Amino acid sequence: MVKIEHRSSFLFGVSFLVAATGIWTWRRRSTSCTREIRTMVDALNHPNVHIKDRQHVNKLIQNFIQGGKQKLQVVADFDRTMSRFKSEEGEIIATCHNALDNNDQISDKFRMEATKLRDYYYKIEIDDSLSKEVKYPYMVEWWTKAHDLLVDCGLTRDMISYSVKRSNIVLRDKTSWLLKELHVHDVPLLIFSAGLGDIIEEVIHQQHTMYSNIHIVSNYMDFNNQGTLVGFKGEIIHIYNKNENAIHESDYFEKLQHRENIILMGDSLGDLNMADGASDSADILKIGFLNDKVEERLNVYKDAYDIVLAADETMDIPNAIIRQVLES
Ligand code: TMP
Ligand code: MG
């Protein structure tokens, strides 16, 4: 009898301790969470940050902080999202496809043709008065012609590294911090790009380090045994078919189902579909870089993205949010 009483008071003591620790941890988390939200709100008050629904954004960030790094995953576009749009001097930064323009091993004819294509199709890409459906066939045309041109110019595998070194392509400021921290905290990063996978890998190798938590979905070059480009692997990924990509049906998002808090970063409206393969219950905080024609496009971007960063060449805001989640 005495033994039973001893046991039950012991069990009561243990339960009390567990409950008290739980409450203490919860209170500590929610107090620090409120403090973190306040710091976050300060960062989000910066004049180049535009938010249509602040309450929604604050709630998402609060949930993400409470979920911590175990529930986090990041999905990012590459050109003009992970890479800069303009240099300090105001010079336009190359996209993956334009990274070859400054390579003197490539003919002037290639450069002229590629520039002609860009001048014609880029206007269509950023014209928000045209619907996605209208733009779609033009984008297929642009990518098809650009890829044919790359094959015709006799590009070799060896030219990739030299081309990236000669180009002005550069990661957005503080992207290195982001890559390092996501790696240290084992948070998966999907880079989903309509650019060129071989160039993206080279940029990351040259300007940072490629980590095992990074998965790249992009257009990959197909080289023959002599190392000459003969075509591209798989279906073309262009700016408006990111919703159709095989990644959505693959097990990528399924394996990461428990990571239900997604930070999505893009610079085009097509990037909003990059996490379509994630489960319906996932929460997505959409951060959009509005690089060009800011005044004209701001309202459309504010309707589409939760947070719009206008003409901001840094990763400061995404980093500030991610830092709070990683440290919570
Ligand atoms: P992203 O999905 O990584 O942003 O890559 C797509 C960008 O590449 C898009 O902004 C258009 C640009 N692009 C060029 O600059 N030159 C080209 O030849 C092609 C096909 C695309
Ligand atoms: Mg982009």
Side-chain angles (χ1 to χ4, degrees):
M1 191 65 195
V2 175
K3 230 180 180 176
I4 291 172
E5 266 176 19
H6 251 64
R7 241 187 103 202
S8 61
S9 60
F10 172 73
L11 284 175
F12 174 77
V14 169
S15 332
F16 177 77
L17 214 68
V18 170
T21 314
I23 291 168
W24 180 77
T25 313
W26 176 79
R27 284 208 48 166
R28 205 174 63 106
R29 266 204 156 183
S30 61
T31 327
S32 76
C33 188
T34 318
R35 203 179 331 114
E36 281 152 2
I37 281 283
R38 228 175 282 135
T39 324
M40 265 324 314
V41 171
D42 287 345
L44 297 179
N45 279 336
H46 198 273
N48 65 357
V49 181
H50 302 269
I51 299 172
K52 192 175 169 193
D53 186 346
R54 260 175 200 273
Q55 235 182 338
H56 174 66
V57 167
N58 284 349
K59 195 161 175 288
L60 274 183
I61 295 176
Q62 192 155 13
N63 285 348
F64 281 25
I65 291 172
Q66 248 155 9
K69 61 183 175 188
Q70 283 81 7
K71 291 205 169 173
L72 182 69
Q73 59 171 303
V74 179
V75 179
D77 163 60
F78 186 78
D79 285 313
R80 276 102 192 244
T81 295
M82 290 188 66
S83 67
R84 286 181 73 127
F85 174 64
K86 275 189 184 169
S87 70
E88 299 280 347
E89 294 74 34
E91 186 189 15
I92 300 286
I93 293 291
T95 58
C96 290
H97 284 87
N98 310 144
L100 305 163
D101 286 8
N102 285 344
N103 184 337
D104 47 15
Q105 300 162 317
I106 285 170
S107 72
D108 287 344
K109 186 169 168 278
F110 165 81
R111 231 180 316 279
M112 272 163 52
E113 292 292 324
T115 309
K116 244 201 277 176
L117 290 178
R118 185 167 62 249
D119 289 347
Y120 178 69
Y121 290 105
Y122 179 65
K123 281 198 201 91
I124 301 173
E125 178 195 328
I126 64 162
D127 186 344
D128 294 326
S129 70
L130 301 174
S131 71
K132 198 171 147 179
E133 289 69 32
V134 171
K135 290 187 202 183
Y136 193 107
Y138 288 100
M139 295 301 112
V140 176
E141 222 171 75
W142 185 10
W143 261 257
T144 308
K145 287 182 183 171
H147 288 185
D148 288 348
L149 206 55
L150 284 172
V151 173
D152 291 345
C153 81
L155 185 80
T156 65
R157 187 185 271 123
D158 296 342
M159 290 179 185
I160 301 284
S161 162
Y162 180 70
S163 302
V164 170
K165 276 189 198 127
R166 291 288 307 249
S167 80
N168 67 355
I169 191 162
V170 64
L171 292 172
R172 198 173 277 276
D173 292 9
K174 323 269 177 64
T175 300
S176 281
W177 182 91
L178 176 70
L179 294 176
K180 188 169 147 271
E181 291 302 310
L182 292 180
H183 172 63
V184 166
H185 293 275
D186 214 11
V187 173
L189 166 65
L190 172 66
I191 300 176
F192 195 164
S193 167
L196 301 167
D198 310 73
I199 300 280
I200 296 171
E201 288 190 11
E202 189 58 35
V203 172
I204 297 178
H205 277 304
Q206 285 184 19
Q207 298 180 17
H208 192 75
T209 307
M210 182 60 77
Y211 297 125
S212 54
N213 64 316
I214 302 176
H215 182 70
I216 301 175
V217 173
S218 188
N219 299 300
Y220 272 92
M221 297 177 184
D222 195 5
F223 295 100
N224 67 12
N225 289 340
Q226 284 73 48
T228 304
L229 181 70
V230 289
F232 283 80
K233 297 173 185 167
E235 298 285 312
I236 284 177
I237 304 174
H238 59 81
I239 205 132
Y240 288 119
N241 71 349
K242 290 189 175 181
N243 58 325
E244 295 166 16
N245 193 270
I247 188 80
H248 301 307
E249 281 88 48
S250 78
D251 61 359
Y252 182 83
F253 284 110
E254 202 182 303
K255 277 192 182 150
L256 298 179
Q257 234 173 15
H258 58 290
R259 294 186 177 268
E260 60 207 19
N261 296 334
I262 304 177
I263 293 185
L264 178 148
M265 294 189 278
D267 75 297
S268 109
L269 298 177
D271 294 331
L272 291 158
N273 295 109
M274 292 189 298
D276 279 8
S279 103
D280 291 343
S281 61
D283 278 327
I284 307 181
L285 176 67
K286 300 177 200 115
I287 305 177
F289 289 94
L290 177 51
N291 298 310
D292 202 6
K293 308 245 185 312
V294 171
E295 272 174 37
E296 247 172 85
R297 308 169 77 201
L298 186 57
N299 283 337
V300 174
Y301 269 63
K302 274 171 76 177
D303 283 341
Y305 281 100
D306 298 312
I307 300 176
V308 180
L309 305 172
D312 179 356
E313 296 293 347
T314 74
M315 274 289 175
D316 286 345
I317 298 296
N319 285 356
I321 298 169
I322 288 167
R323 179 183 286 119
Q324 304 293 356
V325 178
L326 297 180
E327 287 175 359
S328 67

